[in-house]
Amino acid sequence: MIGLAVAANLVVAQAPELPRLPEIRRDPQVTYVDRSGAVIGVRGGRYAPPVDLGRIPAYVPAAFVAIEDRRFYEHNGVDARGIARAVVVAIDKGRATQGASTITQQLARNLFLSQDRTLERKATEIAYALQLERAYSKKQILALYLSRVYYGSGAYGLEAASQRYFNKPASRLTIREAAILAGVLKSPTNYNPAEQTEAAMARSKLVLDAMVETGAITPAQRAKALAETPRIWKTAPNAAAQYFIDWIDDQVKPVAGKVRQDVIVETTLDLAMEQAAFDAARNTVARHKAQRAEQAAVVAVDGVGRVRVMVGGTDYVRAPYNRAASAKRQAGSAWKPFVYLTALEQGRTPDLPVVDEPVTISGWTPANYSESFLGPLTLEQALAQSVNTVAARLADEVGRQNVAATARRVGIVSSVNIDPAMALGTTLVTPLEMTQAYAAFANGGNRVQAYGVERIRTRAGVTLYQKKPAAPVPAIANPPLSDLNRMLRTAVISGTGKGAAMPGYDLAGKTGTTSDYKDAWFCGYTGGFASCAWMGRDDNSPMARIAGGGAPAELWRGFMASALKRLPKQQIPFGPAVTPPPPPVEPALTPAAEPQAPLPAETAPG
């Protein structure tokens, strides 16, 4: 080691020509941000741009210098004194206990070389380190180094590590947090803050000691830092948003792929809402594990189609399949509003008398969830109580083709089956398209097309794409719209959806449960904001009596209790007095999957 360092220094002193540095390469990155500018994910190149040292506290880079290379500002890329000290300690201990590579050598290895432990590789590393010191300033070397090193848990670079472990930009790191990150580099596995917290905290004490010894901080600052207990995120704070990013990534690539520079994608997602939905989904599934609950999905869309929330499952790392946008499941009784809307548009009213009694349609006899019959009631009561016999007869009377047309008009893009059981929700749909359809109930009767990208720009601010405001697409007239909203309010106030009710808010919605409890839903809305919660199992096996009015309503309410605080309090709009026939609409944001044959007709309780 010492011989290599001396030889390299002799080369520098005697020969001006060193091996030319290979080109420093960095693939462009696509950074996704939520509606407030918070980073929700990065795709593309592994490495970020060099850290802007002028925008982070001085103690942050000082922490890395103190523990990794305290003579960084004195040597010329190779620290012969440090190598000698490491050799002496190794002889004394009988094994290597101290590293001998400078920050510049580590950067040279990271930029150009493999991790092979050979004399040839080490000699090349030293030569490149010396050349780096000739070509770049210490500040540039340190900035590049901090952006390239690995901090564990998939985080490359200081900014990514700060966001991953502390959910904050590097500019807001405390002294203790900086010490924790600097301590990780010795072993991203053994000192991973999320997985080896105690070891990481103990290592940070050594870093703080080194910072005092190098004069980076005072003993008083060290004492204050040791008294701090930083919040370390066990799971990445933006983990839930990865389902959403997967959904829009394919839409971004055709635009972002045309440039060879970093791109920023401004999205519609609300990260705080997303986290609330993710927590509610994960916690609700955990509470109902005994009932064979396995997965959940949540989607929320505002009145013009902006996707505010897309939770595609309870654990992205273990199960990245996006159930919110890709899983086609039977809608159960959450489909019934399309049946009733069709009936209202044909002149029926909420107060129309109907009878809950046995009915047979084309040889098929639906049963109610309660396995009993309520007798005479109104159309409004039948929807609120999710009476299957009334919905099946109603769809047959108004025409199942007309029901299918209504569903497509308000936002359903999947193929709709028209067998008698379609009235009870045997059509296969995604949570995204169900939410898109319910948004028309929430916004005054306009069809929306769900979307997730507002703008794509370069870091320099050049706009590559800008979402254009869409003209309203009228889809539902009055009085059918106001009548349907009245009926779905009743479903929440006193019907099967009362588990979703929250005093003080104008809410409406519908439960959905399929036969054998394979799928359970709650889809609901307030003024200008719709959301759907789905629960089920990936293998399509039954859950144990989980119905839409139970766990899904509980999940929806848990999410909406948080979401409503971030929304302007708004009544469900009355809608237009008259609506002209809807004009053609754009293709759906995500094309429907290949049409699937409907499942055998099943009796779908509420």
Side-chain angles (χ1 to χ4, degrees), residues 158-159 161-174 177 228 233 237:
L158 180 66
E159 189 64 35
S162 182
Q163 294 285 356
R164 167 60 186 86
Y165 296 120
F166 305 117
N167 194 26
K168 63 172 66 172
S171 61
R172 292 174 46 208
L173 286 169
T174 66
E177 290 166 345
E228 176 191 349
W233 290 66

Side-chain angles (χ1 to χ4, degrees), residues 249-315:
D249 196 45
D250 286 341
Q251 304 162 47
V252 169
K253 284 176 181 176
V255 177
K258 297 176 182 177
V259 295
R260 297 188 179 278
Q261 57 184 304
D262 290 346
V263 167
I264 296 174
V265 179
E266 299 173 3
T267 76
T268 61
L269 197 78
D270 185 312
L271 185 56
M273 280 191 191
E274 178 84 354
Q275 188 63 48
F278 180 67
D279 290 343
R282 186 171 50 183
N283 294 338
T284 304
V285 167
R287 285 194 295 270
H288 294 273
K289 279 289 187 184
Q291 292 176 269
R292 287 177 50 80
E294 179 191 64
Q295 279 296 344
V298 182
V299 179
V301 174
D302 72 11
V304 297
R306 290 179 287 237
V307 175
R308 298 301 193 201
V309 167
M310 181 180 282
V311 174
T314 57
D315 189 332

Side-chain angles (χ1 to χ4, degrees), residues 463-485:
T463 298
L464 305 176
Y465 166 84
Q466 177 72 58
K467 171 69 176 176
K468 296 179 181 178
V473 181
I476 313 173
N478 262 327
L481 175 62
S482 57
D483 285 346
L484 181 66
N485 285 335

Side-chain angles (χ1 to χ4, degrees), residues 4-202:
L4 284 171
V6 172
N9 278 293
L10 285 173
V11 169
V12 175
Q14 297 174 5
E17 291 298 324
L18 285 168
R20 287 189 63 182
L21 288 174
E23 181 183 354
I24 297 176
R25 297 182 179 275
R26 189 182 76 82
D27 294 331
Q29 289 184 332
V30 178
T31 299
Y32 292 87
V33 299
D34 84 336
R35 63 191 300 255
S36 64
V39 175
I40 59 174
V42 178
R43 299 290 169 89
R46 173 180 290 178
Y47 303 112
V51 172
D52 187 345
L53 298 181
R55 301 188 65 178
I56 59 176
Y59 54 72
V60 176
F64 291 84
V65 171
I67 198 65
E68 288 292 316
D69 183 6
R70 64 177 57 187
R71 282 176 31 83
F72 173 69
Y73 293 103
E74 301 169 23
H75 62 65
N76 64 349
V78 178
D79 185 6
R81 187 189 305 175
I83 294 174
R85 182 176 61 250
V87 170
V88 170
V89 172
I91 293 172
D92 183 55
K93 299 288 186 180
R95 58 186 175 85
T97 61
Q98 295 185 4
S101 292
T102 65
I103 282 176
T104 315
Q105 287 176 256
Q106 293 179 51
L107 177 60
R109 182 166 65 246
N110 188 295
L111 288 173
F112 310 123
L113 303 168
S114 70
Q115 299 298 317
D116 295 340
R117 294 175 176 269
T118 64
L119 289 177
E120 181 182 2
R121 197 273 295 157
K122 192 68 177 179
T124 306
E125 172 191 305
I126 289 172
Y128 282 158
L130 296 169
Q131 187 72 310
L132 281 170
E133 292 273 349
R134 283 185 166 191
Y136 300 98
S137 68
K138 290 287 188 180
K139 185 176 181 179
Q140 289 173 316
I141 290 170
L142 186 57
L144 191 55
Y145 169 78
L146 292 175
S147 72
R148 288 269 173 163
V149 286
Y150 182 56
Y151 295 81
S153 295
Y156 287 85
L158 180 66
E159 189 64 35
S162 182
Q163 294 285 356
R164 167 60 186 86
Y165 296 120
F166 305 117
N167 194 26
K168 63 172 66 172
S171 61
R172 292 174 46 208
L173 286 169
T174 66
I175 292 176
R176 185 65 181 275
E177 290 166 345
I180 291 171
L181 293 183
V184 170
L185 302 191
K186 182 178 178 65
S187 174
T189 300
N190 296 329
Y191 298 111
N192 184 299
E195 299 173 6
Q196 305 293 337
T197 305
E198 289 187 12
M201 295 296 281

